[in-house]
Amino acid sequence: MRAFSGSDLIYLLYALQWTVALVVIALAMGAPLGLALALMRTSRRRLPRYIAMVFIEVVQGVPLLGLLVFFYFGVPLLAGREVAPVIAVSIAFTAYSASFLGQIWRGGIEAVKGTQWDAAACLGITKWQQFRYVIGPQAFRMSLPPTVGLLVQLIKGTSLVSIVGFVELTRAGQIISAATFQPLLVYSCVAVIYFSVCLPLTHWARALEGRLNGAA
Amino acid sequence: MTGFNLSQILHYQDLFLSGVLMTALLSCIVMFFGSIIGILGAVGVRWGPRPVQYALRAYVEVIRNTPGLIQLFIVFFVLPSFELRLPPFHAAAIAFSIYFGAYAIEIIRAGLDSIPRSQIEAGQCLGITRWEVFRHVICMPALRNIYPAFTSQIVLLVLGTSIASQISAEELFYMGSFVESRTYRSFEVYTFVCAIYLVMVLILKTVFAAGGRILFRWPAHD
Amino acid sequence: MALLEIANVRKSFGSLEVLKGVSLTVEPGEIIAIVGRSGSGKSTLLRCINALEGINSGEIRFRGEPVRQNMKNLRLLRQRMGIVFQSFNLFPHLKVERNVTLAPVLTGKVSKADARELALEVLTRVGLSEKIDAFPGQLSGGQQQRVAIARCLAMSPELMLFDEATSALDPELVGEVLRVIEDMARNDLTMILVTHEMNFARNVSTRLIFMNEGMVWEQGPPAELFANPKTEEFASFIRATKQA
């Protein structure tokens, strides 16, 4: 047994970079998929709408913990060989963030008035151009606050990765806690680190929302 | 590994069933106490004295900006230092109530704020008491406004209780990991557990949708 | 005794003085129309009368009893005074019947058993008895405003206040509401109307009040006042409304 020391704190901050890395991966890979889901969900054809709906309902209908272990054990099975945990975990988080982004951005697209599509269509540009230059930017502006909110949700969600042994902030906390027998102190430190990362984002989301409501 | 095989897992159906019941029980307990925290907290944020307002806001910010798992660990490891040795299930119920309460405060406060001043004035002008204005004028429209957010929060809660498995509270996910340790059929077990959660969520959503239609019959504006 | 006495009332919002010493006495049976430009303090005066707004100085007396925001029996006073708002403010979750009878039942004016009968009676007066089981959201603006009037009538008020009751309505719906108010006027109900409908003010009111810059600028019988405006402000106000 040893006491909690400054080097433990450095270890925690070091582990934080894996938390951040996971979130970046989840966003980078989840965003294109989320956009596709949003477009499918608002499509006029039934099949894509239906597929996107089922995907979102299923991913949001199981615990994040379940999603993690599902891919953690499922991906190697599918690949037929050992797969680095980080890949399985990234796939799980990509699915998770994509489902929420799809839902949020769908809401943004639907919040843009139908007359905007009409006006864009009258310009004689393609359907994709209508989205890219007219609907998309307006939808993005309206979806930005909940998107930032999702970022906070993702950061908190990565704490669950600790259960499959992936060393990010929470797992690092568990390791130190086991070594020092000072769980309260260690977990409080971990909580403070999460808090200082999430709070500015939460406030940013709120400021964005306030600006949006003020403009409306 | 020989394909996807559920038969071995289904030997443990009693365990899964008790897991489902414990998850449901945990969710109900948390919903009850969390909602009480939410109602009292929202009243406090809105009408309480300044210090109470600040304290409640700090509470909401801290809970919303830290992971539930860490909160659970802190509650679980803090209580023994007060000579309070609670079973994991109790610790989870306490941690999740604190967690759910913070979200409930935000939702209920937003619901109260969503009622236009003019509605309250119209009630006052009829010469009925403050309580009657709340009970007959504010209450139902506010409930309708918070219903979507509140019910999705409940769904998130039911799914979120799965992390109680990490302190060995014997709810559904814990039962899953127990069966996994007996059968080594990890993928099948967790797929099965996920499917159970999905069914529970779909049932809940159906019930909430039906409840909404029964409770709120008046036409929504615009 | 006068029904309502307003004496030298002043009211400010922050540094902006909206009422700068308003005095006015209303006798039972009078129908008073208050006109004036927006920002002249008309609506604020109305809101002060039933203490939705507090006043900074002066006094308002209803049947001799001072009206104050913190008075103990403000509720009882409001039961004797009805107000109709520009935006109707019906309760969206209650059917028309319940909207109309909520206050009479809660204040014990009528038993639950007799409530429907009362609702039918007042709804008939505004010509909407067939809508008794509708929700406000299923009615047109004009119908909603008539229900709002019925809601007041159900309390048998001694004084009715109308705060720009037709301003939020589509032009084709204004008439039905004005006809209901006219009908009430014939039944000797004391009323104070803040309105933009100049013809209505001229034809229905027993006394016209022109408010300007937070004061009662001119008042008198409407026909006389319209024919011979005493001040340039009122004359230009009449010209402006005629052009519109």
Side-chain angles (χ1 to χ4, degrees), chain C residues 29-43:
Chain C
E30 273 197 291
I31 292 154
I32 297 191
I34 304 180
V35 299
R37 296 176 195 280
S38 55
S40 59
K42 309 167 298 210
S43 289

Side-chain angles (χ1 to χ4, degrees), chain B residues 117-130 132 135-141 217-219 221, chain C residues 47 50 52 75 78-79 81 83 85 87 89-94 98 102-103 106-107 135 137-138 151 155:
Chain B
R117 250 208 89 64
S118 56
Q119 282 285 305
I120 299 167
E121 284 182 355
Q124 288 172 341
C125 287
L126 293 175
I128 56 182
T129 64
R130 274 172 151 235
E132 285 166 341
R135 164 81 186 74
H136 296 281
V137 177
I138 303 176
C139 196
M140 285 305 280
R217 288 171 183 277
W218 69 93
H221 38 236
Chain C
R47 289 168 62 85
N50 69 353
L52 274 177
R75 267 187 330 107
R78 281 176 170 163
Q79 290 170 18
M81 228 190 260
I83 180 161
F85 299 94
S87 51
N89 297 354
L90 293 178
F91 307 130
H93 59 301
L94 303 178
R98 185 81 173 136
L102 182 70
L106 289 179
T107 56
F135 283 110
Q138 297 164 331
R151 179 169 72 178
M155 292 294 280

Side-chain angles (χ1 to χ4, degrees), chain A residues 57 60 156 163 184 202 206, chain B residues 61 64-65 78 103 166:
Chain A
E57 284 289 318
Q60 295 186 11
K156 293 188 293 178
I163 72 143
L184 179 57
T202 305
R206 209 170 291 157
Chain B
E61 291 283 25
R64 283 170 38 119
N65 288 295
V78 163
Y103 283 85
Q166 300 309 302

Side-chain angles (χ1 to χ4, degrees), chain C residues 1-18:
Chain C
M1 188 186 15
L3 183 67
L4 185 73
E5 293 159 276
I6 301 172
N8 206 22
V9 163
R10 289 175 178 273
K11 165 76 184 171
S12 305
F13 293 109
S15 60
L16 181 72
E17 192 169 38
V18 185

Side-chain angles (χ1 to χ4, degrees), chain C residues 189-223:
Chain C
L189 197 54
T190 313
M191 302 197 279
I192 303 177
L193 308 109
V194 167
T195 181
H196 287 302
E197 302 287 332
M198 298 306 277
N199 283 327
F200 182 77
R202 184 203 301 245
N203 298 333
V204 175
S205 70
T206 57
R207 178 157 45 127
L208 186 79
I209 288 175
F210 172 63
M211 277 188 72
N212 195 35
E213 290 176 14
M215 284 177 276
V216 173
W217 206 261
E218 274 195 48
Q219 59 173 314

Side-chain angles (χ1 to χ4, degrees), chain B residues 9-91:
Chain B
I9 294 164
L10 292 175
H11 283 306
Y12 296 92
Q13 51 171 305
D14 289 351
L15 278 187
F16 285 115
L17 183 64
S18 89
V20 167
L21 293 178
M22 290 305 259
T23 290
L25 179 65
L26 183 56
S27 303
C28 287
I29 292 172
V30 172
M31 234 180 335
F32 179 75
F33 288 106
S35 300
I36 291 179
I37 295 176
I39 293 167
L40 295 180
V43 169
V45 167
R46 213 169 171 206
W47 294 294
R50 274 284 158 78
V52 172
Q53 288 186 14
Y54 288 136
L56 284 168
R57 273 200 215 127
Y59 157 56
V60 171
E61 291 283 25
V62 167
I63 297 300
R64 283 170 38 119
N65 288 295
T66 53
L69 185 60
I70 297 293
Q71 294 163 20
L72 181 66
F73 284 163
I74 290 181
V75 168
F76 190 57
F77 291 117
V78 163
L79 291 179
S81 59
F82 291 104
E83 298 301 314
L84 233 138
R85 231 159 254 288
L86 285 180
F89 186 88
H90 293 56

Side-chain angles (χ1 to χ4, degrees), chain B residues 12 175-186 189-190:
Chain B
Y12 296 92
M175 294 306 184
S177 37
F178 178 81
V179 174
E180 185 213 3
S181 68
R182 289 296 182 82
T183 61
Y184 297 104
R185 293 226 157 247
S186 316
V189 168
Y190 287 121

